[in-house]
Amino acid sequence: MSSIGNALNQYLKLGINRLEAGRPQRAGSFSGACVDRAISLLSEFNNAVFIVDDQKQGDNGPVIETANKFFGEALQLDAKLFVEASGDQAGARLEEIFAVLADEKKILLVIASLEWFAKDERLAKLFQSIVKKSSVPILGMTSISGFRQL
């Protein structure tokens, strides 16, 4: 990992890690369209959300393809693990992570289980303010039920 890794090492146990590029996935028309749409949204708004099937939460093919096409480097934050491990410090730690990432350029933050930020009103408001700043490109992943929560 680059210097970004050194700055974020303390968060590894809290659910953040480097999203490793995998072998190219079969490019079906649906996944290709999803990737193109995500890149379009990232280009315009600096954020996008993939709605994933609950059974396919581990299928990062479209996410990896989007990261590779959009920036080439991505970090993944598992929101569920992050919120559970951070406890009362989740808000402060989230702000710290975004401050580090805002100083870096060309790094996409992929947030798995995005709906976990909606479970705490203070954390949801903080996350909304971060998204509005558009200082870090964000690609969220959630299920359809999680999307409704958001």
Side-chain angles (χ1 to χ4, degrees):
M1 236 187 216
S2 61
S3 61
I4 185 86
N6 296 332
L8 293 173
N9 269 341
Q10 61 184 320
Y11 299 105
L12 291 176
K13 64 181 179 286
L14 299 177
I16 195 165
N17 59 61
R18 186 182 198 124
L19 186 63
E20 298 294 338
R23 60 189 170 143
Q25 301 288 318
R26 282 183 320 191
S29 60
F30 181 70
S31 75
C34 288
V35 169
D36 291 344
R37 178 74 173 138
I39 290 172
S40 171
L41 291 170
L42 284 165
S43 298
E44 188 168 345
F45 302 109
N46 224 28
N47 61 72
V49 174
F50 274 129
I51 299 174
V52 296
D53 185 335
D54 284 330
Q55 280 95 25
K56 295 183 180 178
Q57 285 279 350
D59 180 15
N60 284 338
V63 172
I64 291 170
E65 187 177 340
T66 301
N68 287 338
K69 284 185 175 180
F70 192 66
F71 279 149
E73 185 172 4
L75 295 176
Q76 183 166 325
L77 173 67
D78 182 322
K80 179 182 179 187
L81 180 59
F82 177 79
V83 169
E84 289 176 344
S86 297
D88 293 341
Q89 298 297 312
R93 288 179 174 159
L94 189 64
E95 285 182 298
E96 290 170 8
I97 289 169
F98 273 88
V100 171
L101 291 174
D103 289 339
E104 298 292 327
K105 301 297 179 216
K106 302 287 186 189
I107 296 178
L108 176 66
L109 179 63
V110 176
I111 302 175
S113 305
L114 182 62
E115 68 276 6
W116 275 76
F117 287 144
K119 295 182 184 292
D120 179 309
E121 188 176 330
R122 291 173 296 157
L123 196 54
K125 286 181 181 179
L126 172 62
F127 185 68
Q128 288 170 359
S129 71
I130 289 170
V131 169
K132 286 179 185 177
K133 289 179 191 174
S134 294
S135 59
V136 174
I138 303 167
L139 181 61
M141 294 179 5
T142 187
S143 64
I144 190 67
S145 60
F147 188 75
R148 288 185 186 125
Q149 289 176 28
L150 293 166

